[in-house]
């Protein structure tokens, strides 16, 4: 909510009417004027007041005797009483309505002055608006000459100038919202300030304490009702955003769903992933961390990855969802040979192929789950390739915090080189630079949506809450920033820990 002061005002305005010749004003004046002029003391020269014109009203005083003392005290008392009654009628009106104007009092007092005058012929008392007493409209800044007006917050408005700041339509209701000096329809103010759920697109309801309670994604700032966390609303397995009622997610057939933005760059089969895999190997080579062995890389389904995890005796896996694996045992793994095609809101026609993996070195193969965006697939590959590099270079018996932490640093560095080209984590060799932009050159550059995804994956790594992946990354990242990657790796090889 805005920190600005917000008031919801009920019946805030003084609705009035500047009158110069209206029927009501004439009739009211006539009631008590005629009471005096109708006969009063029996003065034969008494006559009714004359109203001249409609828009500008003047009153011509009645002719009177030259003898100023001929008026009886009874007549004066009746005149005073009539004026008092007229003023009292306004006081009795409900609060918020003011039909009496300043000119009413001026006219009454002018009448009284002339009635007490002894001069003859009588003075004329024309009643006209005093230009210096005009009220200024706070909306159009013009004078309010005649007609309806509104008094609010110590200022005045033409009815058509009392506008809602949001929709620009005049406010005619007795209740409105006020934020600072700006006025709003209550409905417009709610539409503007009350958060709406980005899943069901309804106003987020209040909780038992009357407070607006909602969930908000820490990166995407997606606001949604707390109920959607438990009502089987789909969540993208890549970017974690909840499925909106206005946009259907793509089902991958294994319990995972993919949003349309992530689907644009998703890699669906092993063949499609090979160029990306080789570009990341070139990235390692550009940092003088070449991997000499030809380690197979396979894209697999979710259940195939889980089966491979069960067959791995000493693997370290990020729960609850493992998306990549560096195998060191011999296994037969079912990989995706041909990408599935889209059918309705899911993928159909997936073609798999069982492949026996033979252990020829410390690393048997690298497995990555299919259907993830290119940048996430690449981040997983960079992580698993670091596991392979450590094993092939003889790093033994590392703690989960140290091994997973340094692998996450390499994953983060590769993402940074993709999302922010020219960063300090970009390999210096031209081969690695050109290879790492395989997808960008193929598609004519990354879209803004893909770059934002890359930033999210970096955010995920940096804010991981697990001790090994999150805590290990932050310790490794601090060491690399302070001592450099090569010195940190050498210290790990000698001591099994990060330099302090």
């Amino acid at each position: 909510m805005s920190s600005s002061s917000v008031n919801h005002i009920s019946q805030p305005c003084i609705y009035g009417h500047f009158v110069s010749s209206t029927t009501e004003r004439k009739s009211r004046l006539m009631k008590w004027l005629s009471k005096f002029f109708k006969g009063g003391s029996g003065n034969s020269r008494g006559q009714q007041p004359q109203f001249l014109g409609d828009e500008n009203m003047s009153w011509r005083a009645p002719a009177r005797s030259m003898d100023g003392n001929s008026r009886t005290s009874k007549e004066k008392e009746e005149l005073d009483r009539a004026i008092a009654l007229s003023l009292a009628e306004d006081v009795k009106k409900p609060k918020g309505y003011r039909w009496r104007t300043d000119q009413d009092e001026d006219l009454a007092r002018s009448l009284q002055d002339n009635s007490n005058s002894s001069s003859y012929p009588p003075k004329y008392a024309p009643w006209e608006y005093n230009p210096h007493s005009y009220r200024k409209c706070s909306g159009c800044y013009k004078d309010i000459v005649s007609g309806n007006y509104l008094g609010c917050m110590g200022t005045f408005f033409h009815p058509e100038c009392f506008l809602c700041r949001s929709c620009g339509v005049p406010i005619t209701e007795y209740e409105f919202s006020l934020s600072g000096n700006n006025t709003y329809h209550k409905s417009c103010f709610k539409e503007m300030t009350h958060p709406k759920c980005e899943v069901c697109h309804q106003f987020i309801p209040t909780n038992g304490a009357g407070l607006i309670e909602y969930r908000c994604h820490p990166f995407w700032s997606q606001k949604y009702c707390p109920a959607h966390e438990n009502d089987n609303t789909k969540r993208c397995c890549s970017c974690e955003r909840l499925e909106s009622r206005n946009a259907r997610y793509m089902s991958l057939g294994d319990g995972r769903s993919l949003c349309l933005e992530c689907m644009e760059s998703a890699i669906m089969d092993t063949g499609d992933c090979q160029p990306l895999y080789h570009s990341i190997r070139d990235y390692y080579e550009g940092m003088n961390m070449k991997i000499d062995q030809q380690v197979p890389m396979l894209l697999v389904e979710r259940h195939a990855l889980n089966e491979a995890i069960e067959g791995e005796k000493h693997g370290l896996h990020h729960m609850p969802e493992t998306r990549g694996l560096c195998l060191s045992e011999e296994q037969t793994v079912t990989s995706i040979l041909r990408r599935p095609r889209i059918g309705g809101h899911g993928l159909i026609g997936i073609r798999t192929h069982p492949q026996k993996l033979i252990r020829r070195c410390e690393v048997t193969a690298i497995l990555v789950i299919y259907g993830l965006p290119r940048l996430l697939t690449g981040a997983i590959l960079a992580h698993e390739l670091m596991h392979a590099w450590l094993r092939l270079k003889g790093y033994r018996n590392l703690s989960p915090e140290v091994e997973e932490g340094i692998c996450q640093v390499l994953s983060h560095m590769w993402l940074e080189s993709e999302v922010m080209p020219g960063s300090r984590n970009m390999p210096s060799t031209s081969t690695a630079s050109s290879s790492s932009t395989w997808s960008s050159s193929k598609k004519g550059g990354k879209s803004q949506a893909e770059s934002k995804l890359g930033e999210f994956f970096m955010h995920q790594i940096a804010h991981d809450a697990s001790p090994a992946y999150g805590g290990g990354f932050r310790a490794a990242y601090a060491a690399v920033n302070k001592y450099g990657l090569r010195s940190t790796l050498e210290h790990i090889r000698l001591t099994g820990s990060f330099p302090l």
Side-chain angles (χ1 to χ4, degrees), residues 125-150:
W127 183 85
E128 296 179 354
Y129 286 126
N130 181 358
H132 298 290
S133 68
Y134 282 176
R135 289 180 171 89
K136 290 281 188 182
C137 174
S138 295
C140 65
Y141 304 106
K142 295 181 180 179
D143 294 328
I144 303 176
V145 180
S146 63
N148 292 326
Y149 72 95
L150 294 91

Side-chain angles (χ1 to χ4, degrees), residues 111 122 152 206 212 215 374:
L111 173 63
C152 181
T206 55
I212 300 173
R215 301 291 182 265
R374 188 190 77 89

Side-chain angles (χ1 to χ4, degrees), residues 360-378:
R360 294 187 173 87
C361 60
E362 291 294 324
V363 180
T364 305
I366 290 175
L367 308 181
V368 178
I369 196 168
Y370 91 103
L372 299 178
R374 188 190 77 89
L375 289 178
L376 180 53
T377 303

Side-chain angles (χ1 to χ4, degrees), residues 364-434:
T364 305
I366 290 175
L367 308 181
V368 178
I369 196 168
Y370 91 103
L372 299 178
R374 188 190 77 89
L375 289 178
L376 180 53
T377 303
I380 297 169
L381 283 172
H383 179 102
E384 300 304 332
L385 273 172
M386 190 58 189
H387 278 300
W389 187 88
L390 291 172
R391 294 180 190 179
L392 293 171
K393 296 299 180 181
Y395 286 73
R396 297 285 187 273
N397 302 320
L398 297 179
S399 67
E401 289 77 9
V402 172
E403 184 167 351
E404 298 298 342
I406 196 64
C407 289
Q408 286 290 75
V409 165
L410 267 294
S411 178
H412 190 276
M413 288 173 62
W414 180 82
L415 281 169
E416 187 176 347
S417 71
E418 287 287 306
V419 174
M420 295 174 281
S423 67
R424 62 183 177 85
N425 293 326
M426 194 70 182
S428 58
T429 63
S430 59
T431 300
S433 298
S434 61

Side-chain angles (χ1 to χ4, degrees), residues 127-196:
W127 183 85
E128 296 179 354
Y129 286 126
N130 181 358
H132 298 290
S133 68
Y134 282 176
R135 289 180 171 89
K136 290 281 188 182
C137 174
S138 295
C140 65
Y141 304 106
K142 295 181 180 179
D143 294 328
I144 303 176
V145 180
S146 63
N148 292 326
Y149 72 95
L150 294 91
C152 181
M153 301 176 292
T155 57
F156 300 92
F157 296 87
H158 293 111
E160 65 271 15
C161 295
F162 192 58
L163 305 177
C164 172
R165 182 63 180 271
S166 177
C167 68
V169 175
I171 300 174
T172 58
E173 298 85 354
Y174 280 90
E175 294 184 0
F176 64 94
S177 296
L178 179 67
S179 178
N181 293 324
N182 298 321
T183 54
Y184 301 88
H185 291 108
K186 289 189 71 177
S187 58
C188 290
F189 191 79
K190 183 176 182 180
E191 189 75 27
M192 184 176 67
T193 59
H194 191 122
K196 272 191 174 182

